[in-house]
Amino acid sequence: MGNRRLAEEVSESVTVTNRGGRSPFVLLCDHASNALPAEFGTLGLAAPDLDRHIAWDPGAAPVASRMAEALDAELISSRVSRLVIDCNRPLDAPDLIPAVSETTAIPGNQALSASARARRVALAYDPYHAAIDDVVSRRLAAGQETMVVSVHSFTPVYNGVSRPWHIGIIHDADRRLAAPLIEALSALRGVTVGVNEPYSPADRVYFTLERHARSRGLPCAMIEIRNDEISAPAGQRKWADLLSGLLAQSASEARVPAGQGLSHRVGSDAQTGE
């Protein structure tokens, strides 16, 4: 693994890293940041709440960044907390701007006017999706092979229930990329793999991939890493290096026609809030 610094294009709400990367992979990090633009203050929350999973996916951004370097992949990351607006939700989703996240009320998100909601869409949501669309459209226009992977993290315990998985791979009916990745991870000793766990597309967590990959017929998968595994740099390096290697191996298998590969459940009983 090298230590070169990948070029970044940074705006108020989105970062594009390694534009023009030669890998077939485009990486996404929907919940990379817990940053709140100054106009929102703290949304009425105490500082410790902004470090919790309700505000972002802890550990996901450094893992995705290291993967982008290892794979020579393009990476698009949101720079605004999911508490301002969740970029991995359709615009009509009830939790697009959560008034309550898990069990925590968000004072600054209560009874928002239509203009206040529109401001958040224009500030963070539209630029993030426009950046993804720009990258993917440019690659396809150039005939560059493209597979899309989103990187997330999840909490070890949710509503008092422990989650045994170290990592989860989320997919829908297209298993071209997910199937070889699941197979390789499942072969590793000491790694418990969730298949459409702790979330599934039925939980409305697959939106970004549906919008930018599935709509174009591109292989895609969502990676969820338990956040205690990637709370420190050593764990972040471990999982980034492991996943980079497995994705590189899986790329050739992902080129088989859609619909082939392993058959796995798409559940509907997981909790939201990825």
Side-chain angles (χ1 to χ4, degrees), residues 119-175:
R119 166 61 182 157
R120 298 188 188 202
V121 171
L123 171 71
Y125 188 98
D126 284 348
Y128 178 65
H129 287 288
I132 300 172
D133 188 64
D134 176 66
V135 167
V136 174
S137 296
R138 170 182 47 78
R139 292 171 63 95
L140 296 182
Q144 186 173 4
E145 182 181 24
T146 300
M147 305 178 186
V148 186
V149 175
S150 62
V151 180
H152 293 253
S153 70
F154 66 95
T155 56
V157 178
Y158 186 82
N159 283 344
V161 178
S162 295
R163 291 156 149 180
W165 314 283
H166 299 99
I167 188 169
I169 304 299
I170 316 304
H171 67 85
D172 62 6
D174 185 345
R175 302 181 302 277

Side-chain angles (χ1 to χ4, degrees), residues 3 22 28 40 97 116 134 168 171 193 217-218 222 247-248 265 270:
N3 57 4
R22 294 170 293 177
L28 309 177
F40 301 106
I97 301 174
D134 176 66
H171 67 85
V193 182
L218 302 175
M222 180 175 171
L247 280 172
R265 178 182 65 88

Side-chain angles (χ1 to χ4, degrees), residues 1 66-67 70 236-246:
M1 174 73 64
R66 189 172 175 91
M67 290 173 65
Q236 294 159 9
R237 291 192 297 269
K238 166 193 163 183
W239 279 103
D241 294 352
L242 174 62
L243 288 166
S244 297
L246 294 182

Side-chain angles (χ1 to χ4, degrees), residues 27-32 53 56-61 63-64 67 76 82 86-89 128 149-155 166-170 198-199 204-209 221-227 230 239 243 273-274:
L27 304 179
L28 309 177
C29 200
D30 299 322
H31 304 139
H53 178 80
W56 61 329
D57 279 358
V63 170
M67 290 173 65
I76 303 96
R82 66 198 296 171
D86 193 331
C87 291
N88 191 31
R89 296 290 187 272
Y128 178 65
V149 175
S150 62
V151 180
H152 293 253
S153 70
F154 66 95
T155 56
H166 299 99
I167 188 169
I169 304 299
I170 316 304
Y199 311 106
R204 309 185 316 278
V205 302
Y206 213 62
F207 172 73
T208 303
L209 292 177
M222 180 175 171
I223 295 173
E224 286 272 3
I225 308 168
R226 202 174 67 201
N227 65 28
I230 53 174
W239 279 103
L243 288 166
E274 94 296 352

